Amino acid sequence: MALIVQKYGGSSVGSVEKIRRIADKIKGYRDRGDDVVVVVSAMGGETDRLQGLADEIGHTYPREMDVLLSTGEQVTISLLSMALRNAGVDARSFTGWQVPIRTDAAHTKARIQEIDAQHLRDELGAGRVVVVAGFQGVDENENITTLGRGGSDTTAVALAAALKADECQIFTDVDGVYTTDPRVVSGARRLEKITFEEMLEMASLGSKVLQIRAVEFAGKYGVPLRVLSTFEDGPGTLITLEEDVEEPIVSGIAFTQDEAQLTVLGVPDRPGIAYSLLGPIGEANIEVDMILQNVSGDSSSDYTLTDFTFTVHRRDYERAKELLEEAATTLGAREVAGNTNIAKVSLVGVGMRSHANVASRMFKALSEENINIRMISTTEIKISIVLEAKYLELAVRALHDAFGLEQAPEEVDSELTPRSEQA
Ligand code: ADP
Ligand code: ASP
Ligand code: MG
C-alpha cells in the first residue's frame, strides 16, 4: 500500500466526461489499496477566462485577482469529489485555506511556506480520497493567494513533501517529459528519466510541462516526481537525483518567446555604466536575463562609446524601456532601441560538463539554416541563444536533428569530444 499524490492539469479535467474518467482511474488506485491525495487545476482555459474578465474591468488589484483566479480550482475539486462519490469512492474536497496551505503575501505569485497536513491525514485515515485545489493558499492574514501560472504542480509536490508520499504523479496531456515540446517537433522523444538539475533548467528556460517551483521543491525535499499521461497507460518520465555515467550530452531543448530585448546605443564606456543602466530596472523588481556589453575598441580614450544589450520578460518590456530611456538620457547615451520579436532557444544537459565542443556544433547547425544568433549565454549545463522569433521552430528542429535527440542516447554516434580526451 502506497501513499500517492496525483495532480491532474487543466486539459485533463476540461469536461464533466473527463472528470468522470479521472474518478474511475482514481478508483482503480483505491481498489489496489493505495491512499490517494488528488490535486486538480481549473478546467482548461478557465484561468485565462477569469484573467480576461479582470482585464475587461480595467485596473486590477492583486488581492482581488487571487480571490477571482482561485475560483477555477474550487469548481473542479467539488465536481471531482462528487464524481468519485458517484463511483463509490468516499472523497472530500479542500480549498487551499481549508487545508491550510500557508503562503507568503505575494499575491499572484505567492510561495508556499508551510502546510498543516493533519486534516488531510485524518481524512486519509478515515479511508477517504482527499481532493485539494491546486494553485492556491492563504497568507497569515487569511487572504487568499495564488502561486503563479502552472502552480498546481507546486501544490502537488508540496503536499507530497508534507505527507512524505511515496510518489508525486503529475498527470497531463502528454505522456512524459520529451526532448523538446512534442507539439513543435514531431520527432521529439519521451525521456525515461531526467535529472532534477536538467528539469529545473528546462522549466526555467520555457518548458511549461512542470512549474519551476515544483521542480525546486521536489529537489529540495527529495520528492520522487513523475510526469505521466492522464488517459494513456505508460511509465512516463521520472525526475531523478541520480546521474548516469553515460549521460547524453544534450538531454533536451527548451524555448520561449516570452522575452524582449533592449539595447542602449552609444553609451560612454566607463566604470559604473552597467549599474547606472540596470540599477533602476532592478529597483522596479524587473528581472534581467541575458546581458551583453561590447568591449569598446579603445578603452584608454575618455570618449569611447559602447552598446549595452539585455533581455527582460515581455510583460516588463514597456516599463523597462521607460526606465532605461531615463537612465540613458542622464548618461548622455545616443539611443535606446527595443525588440519584442525575439525568442530564446536553450540546449540543456548535464553531459555538457564533460564535453567541450557543444557550442560549436550548435552554431554550425544554426549557420547551416542561415539563422543569425543575436546573443549567447552559457552555464555548465546549458547554452542559450537569442534569435529572431520567426526562426524559432526552424532552430529547434535543426538542433534536435544536429544532436540526434530523436534516437535514444546509445544509438547516437557522437562527434563530440569528451573533455578527458582533449589535449
Ligand atoms: P497541464 O494543464 O496538465 O498542467 P501544461 O499545458 O501546463 O499541462 O503542460 C503540458 C504541456 O507542456 C504539453 O502539452 C506540451 O505542449 C508542453 N511542453 C513543453 N515542453 C515540453 C517537454 N519538453 N516535454 C513535454 N511537454 C512539453
Ligand atoms: N489553473 C492555473 C493555471 O492555469 C494553475 C494550474 O493549472 O496549474 O495556471
Ligand atoms: Mg501546467
mmCIF file of all heavy atoms in Angstrom, residues 7 150 153 208-211, ligand 3:
data_model
loop_
_atom_site.group_PDB
_atom_site.id
_atom_site.type_symbol
_atom_site.label_atom_id
_atom_site.label_comp_id
_atom_site.label_asym_id
_atom_site.label_seq_id
_atom_site.Cartn_x
_atom_site.Cartn_y
_atom_site.Cartn_z
ATOM 1 N N LYS A 7 -1.635 14.769 -9.469
ATOM 2 C CA LYS A 7 -2.129 16.069 -9.925
ATOM 3 C C LYS A 7 -2.647 15.937 -11.351
ATOM 4 O O LYS A 7 -1.989 15.350 -12.208
ATOM 5 C CB LYS A 7 -1.007 17.108 -9.851
ATOM 6 C CG LYS A 7 -1.408 18.485 -10.366
ATOM 7 C CD LYS A 7 -0.812 18.765 -11.710
ATOM 8 C CE LYS A 7 -1.363 20.021 -12.359
ATOM 9 N NZ LYS A 7 -0.725 20.314 -13.634
ATOM 10 N N GLY A 150 0.508 27.754 -13.647
ATOM 11 C CA GLY A 150 1.092 26.407 -13.565
ATOM 12 C C GLY A 150 1.323 25.947 -12.127
ATOM 13 O O GLY A 150 1.934 24.914 -11.886
ATOM 14 N N ASP A 153 1.110 22.300 -10.018
ATOM 15 C CA ASP A 153 2.231 21.344 -9.921
ATOM 16 C C ASP A 153 2.914 21.507 -8.566
ATOM 17 O O ASP A 153 3.262 20.531 -7.896
ATOM 18 C CB ASP A 153 3.281 21.626 -11.017
ATOM 19 C CG ASP A 153 2.746 21.441 -12.428
ATOM 20 O OD1 ASP A 153 1.768 20.695 -12.588
ATOM 21 O OD2 ASP A 153 3.318 22.038 -13.365
ATOM 22 N N LYS A 208 6.956 24.349 -20.227
ATOM 23 C CA LYS A 208 5.974 24.556 -19.157
ATOM 24 C C LYS A 208 5.377 23.250 -18.627
ATOM 25 O O LYS A 208 4.428 23.281 -17.862
ATOM 26 C CB LYS A 208 4.873 25.491 -19.635
ATOM 27 C CG LYS A 208 3.989 24.885 -20.694
ATOM 28 C CD LYS A 208 2.725 25.709 -20.858
ATOM 29 C CE LYS A 208 1.814 25.034 -21.848
ATOM 30 N NZ LYS A 208 0.502 25.579 -21.908
ATOM 31 N N VAL A 209 5.927 22.110 -19.029
ATOM 32 C CA VAL A 209 5.348 20.838 -18.582
ATOM 33 C C VAL A 209 5.347 20.715 -17.058
ATOM 34 O O VAL A 209 4.460 20.091 -16.473
ATOM 35 C CB VAL A 209 6.020 19.641 -19.308
ATOM 36 C CG1 VAL A 209 7.496 19.562 -19.015
ATOM 37 C CG2 VAL A 209 5.336 18.337 -18.996
ATOM 38 N N LEU A 210 6.319 21.355 -16.390
ATOM 39 C CA LEU A 210 6.320 21.434 -14.919
ATOM 40 C C LEU A 210 6.640 22.868 -14.507
ATOM 41 O O LEU A 210 7.504 23.513 -15.117
ATOM 42 C CB LEU A 210 7.393 20.517 -14.323
ATOM 43 C CG LEU A 210 7.120 19.019 -14.281
ATOM 44 C CD1 LEU A 210 8.359 18.283 -13.766
ATOM 45 C CD2 LEU A 210 5.931 18.713 -13.372
ATOM 46 N N GLN A 211 5.965 23.361 -13.462
ATOM 47 C CA GLN A 211 6.303 24.699 -12.980
ATOM 48 C C GLN A 211 7.673 24.644 -12.294
ATOM 49 O O GLN A 211 7.983 23.665 -11.595
ATOM 50 C CB GLN A 211 5.233 25.206 -11.988
ATOM 51 C CG GLN A 211 5.246 26.729 -11.882
ATOM 52 C CD GLN A 211 4.617 27.267 -10.604
ATOM 53 O OE1 GLN A 211 4.644 26.628 -9.563
ATOM 54 N NE2 GLN A 211 4.067 28.474 -10.670
HETATM 55 MG MG MG B 3 0.782 23.054 -16.152
#
